């Protein structure tokens, strides 16, 4: 349990829905000691009038989209250099529930690297009875949105992998945390209202539950590229299993999705690219100083 601690909320924006962003800020404002917003190269700043209605929000604007990993490092770097101990990271369209931080504070300790919660997706529901029954437990991975991150653990494990850009960034940081000796925990004592994607649904493919995402080709490219990269980066992740998952994804895209041709070729291109990423390029253990003084 943590008591005397400073907590920062960080929200990453990319062309956000202004009304959803307002709800997001209102839901977390009173629960934390500060909010940092990273605008990751949005085409316009129509949300400015929303942010100006709130006090004590720091808004950092990147001239172009630097990727979710870089933006998350900016948030954690700001926290590290301004005396915050824990960071709650949020997607732009996620809504924290009342009392979330109090629940997190009652569970968190120095041994935990990241603590996540029950994700209530607006698009579809899956059976969560096991988690509800067990309450709080150790796990391998939690998603970035509503992740309660230990700032010291972030520093100790080398931070988020900038080279991944988007997709699998959350899984990678959890792997890095556990490798550094920290626990990844999940609790069902609080939840986040979240939306994985518009038009997302679940289908069964040969007894295998798959998500029909209807994402843009760029997301499919990074998703499969980073699957391959993760298998190369961590010995215990099976490359063969990742290739099988990519095969299932190709099947669901061809059978169930709208943008079949573009997404199909994005997956093929991403799979090939995953074998050629230079792992040494993505080592950011000594890069914290670059996040210490982000420009406003």
């Amino acid at each position: 349990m943590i008591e005397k601690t400073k907590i920062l909320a960080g929200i990453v924006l990319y062309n956000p829905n202004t009304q959803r962003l307002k709800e997001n800020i209102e839901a977390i404002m009173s629960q934390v000691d500060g909010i940092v917003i990273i605008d990751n190269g949005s085409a316009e700043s129509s949300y400015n009038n929303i942010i100006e209605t709130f006090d004590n929000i720091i808004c950092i604007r990147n001239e172009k989209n630097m990727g979710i990993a870089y933006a998350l490092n900016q948030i954690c770097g700001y926290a590290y250099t301004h005396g915050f101990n824990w960071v709650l990271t949020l997607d732009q369209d996620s809504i924290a529930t009342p009392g979330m931080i109090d629940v997190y504070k009652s569970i968190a300790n120095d041994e935990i690297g990241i603590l996540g919660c029950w994700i209530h997706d607006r698009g579809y529901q899956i059976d969560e009875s096991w988690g509800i029954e067990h309450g709080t437990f150790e796990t391998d991975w939690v998603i970035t949105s509503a992740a309660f991150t230990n700032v010291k653990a972030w520093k100790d494990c080398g931070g988020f992998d900038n080279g991944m850009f988007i997709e699998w960034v959350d899984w990678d940081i959890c792997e890095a945390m556990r490798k550094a000796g920290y626990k990844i925990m999940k609790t069902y004592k609080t939840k986040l209202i979240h939306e994985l994607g518009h038009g997302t649904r679940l289908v069964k493919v040969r007894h295998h539950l798959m998500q029909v995402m209807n994402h843009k080709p760029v997301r499919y490219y990074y998703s499969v590229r980073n699957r391959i990269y993760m298998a190369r980066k961590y010995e215990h992740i099976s490359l063969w299993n990742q290739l099988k998952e990519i095969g299932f994804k190709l099947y669901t895209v061809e059978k169930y999705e709208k943008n079949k041709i573009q997404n199909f070729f994005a997956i093929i291109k991403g799979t090939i690219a995953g074998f050629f990423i230079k792992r040494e390029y993505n080592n950011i253990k000594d890069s914290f100083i670059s996040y210490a003084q982000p420009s406003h």
Side-chain angles (χ1 to χ4, degrees):
M1 178 177 180
I2 55 173
E3 294 179 355
K4 295 181 179 179
T5 188
K6 284 183 68 178
I7 299 169
L8 178 74
I11 306 171
V12 181
L13 304 185
Y14 184 71
N15 298 324
N17 176 290
T18 54
Q19 181 57 36
R20 186 63 57 77
L21 175 61
K22 182 173 183 291
E23 294 172 7
N24 191 343
I25 295 172
E26 288 175 339
I28 199 59
M29 190 87 183
S30 64
Q31 300 190 51
V32 296
D33 300 299
I35 295 178
V36 166
I37 288 177
I38 307 294
D39 183 307
N40 224 349
S42 294
E44 57 182 75
S45 300
S46 58
Y47 59 85
N48 277 346
N49 61 329
I50 298 294
I51 293 177
E52 289 169 0
T53 63
F54 299 96
D55 295 326
N56 301 321
I57 293 182
I58 301 296
C59 188
I60 300 166
R61 291 183 172 86
N62 296 327
E63 292 183 3
K64 62 179 181 179
N65 188 352
M66 301 295 292
I68 187 67
Y70 188 91
L72 291 170
N73 277 325
Q74 285 181 292
I75 291 168
C76 291
Y78 182 91
Y80 177 67
T81 56
H82 289 80
F84 292 91
N85 311 102
W86 290 79
V87 169
L88 180 78
T89 52
L90 293 166
D91 292 347
Q92 62 191 24
D93 58 356
S94 299
I95 309 297
T97 49
M100 172 182 283
I101 297 300
D102 286 338
V103 171
Y104 278 164
K105 287 172 67 176
S106 71
I107 298 168
N109 59 53
D110 293 341
E111 295 180 353
I112 295 175
I114 300 178
L115 172 61
C117 70
W118 178 10
I119 307 300
H120 179 86
D121 197 282
R122 296 184 182 93
Y124 59 85
Q125 294 302 307
I126 59 176
D127 184 5
E128 302 278 1
S129 57
W130 186 92
I132 294 170
E133 179 183 348
H134 286 76
T136 301
F137 49 90
E138 190 170 355
T139 187
D140 291 337
W141 164 79
V142 294
I143 71 169
T144 301
S145 197
F148 197 54
T149 301
N150 183 335
V151 176
K152 182 180 182 298
W154 166 83
K155 181 178 182 297
D156 289 347
C157 80
F160 294 88
D161 189 334
N162 287 339
M164 298 183 77
F165 196 72
I166 58 172
E167 302 295 338
W168 286 81
V169 172
D170 40 15
W171 191 289
D172 178 75
I173 193 69
C174 290
E175 291 285 350
M177 290 270 191
R178 291 193 291 119
K179 190 174 181 179
Y182 290 93
K183 296 178 180 179
I184 307 301
M185 303 292 292
K186 186 171 183 178
T187 182
Y188 273 69
K189 295 179 180 180
T190 187
K191 68 180 179 180
L192 177 80
I193 309 301
H194 183 66
E195 189 166 16
L196 187 58
H198 299 290
T200 302
R201 59 194 177 96
L202 296 175
V203 297
K204 269 191 176 181
V205 179
R206 297 179 182 177
H207 307 289
H208 194 88
L209 198 61
M210 296 292 295
Q211 293 171 328
V212 178
M213 306 297 293
N214 284 304
H215 279 328
K216 293 181 180 179
V218 65
R219 288 197 63 179
Y220 280 119
Y221 169 82
Y222 280 109
S223 177
V224 299
R225 189 200 74 159
N226 290 343
R227 273 187 179 274
I228 301 298
Y229 172 62
M230 288 281 287
R232 293 174 54 218
K233 188 175 181 180
Y234 300 102
E235 292 181 357
H236 65 279
I237 296 179
S238 166
L239 176 60
W240 174 242
N241 286 342
Q242 297 309 312
L243 289 170
K244 285 196 296 184
E245 290 293 329
I246 292 170
F248 280 120
K249 182 59 65 178
L250 282 168
Y251 176 81
T252 57
V253 165
E254 190 279 330
K255 186 172 179 64
Y256 298 104
E257 297 205 0
K258 301 172 185 177
N259 199 9
K260 300 179 187 297
I261 296 176
Q262 293 91 331
N263 285 342
F264 186 91
F265 282 105
I267 291 172
I268 297 298
K269 185 178 178 182
T271 302
I272 295 170
F275 287 98
F276 293 95
I277 303 173
K278 295 181 180 179
R279 288 176 53 185
E280 62 271 18
Y281 171 78
N282 300 313
N283 186 346
I284 62 166
K285 287 186 177 180
D286 300 319
S287 301
F288 301 117
I289 191 65
S290 64
Y291 308 110
Q293 300 295 334
S295 59
H296 291 247

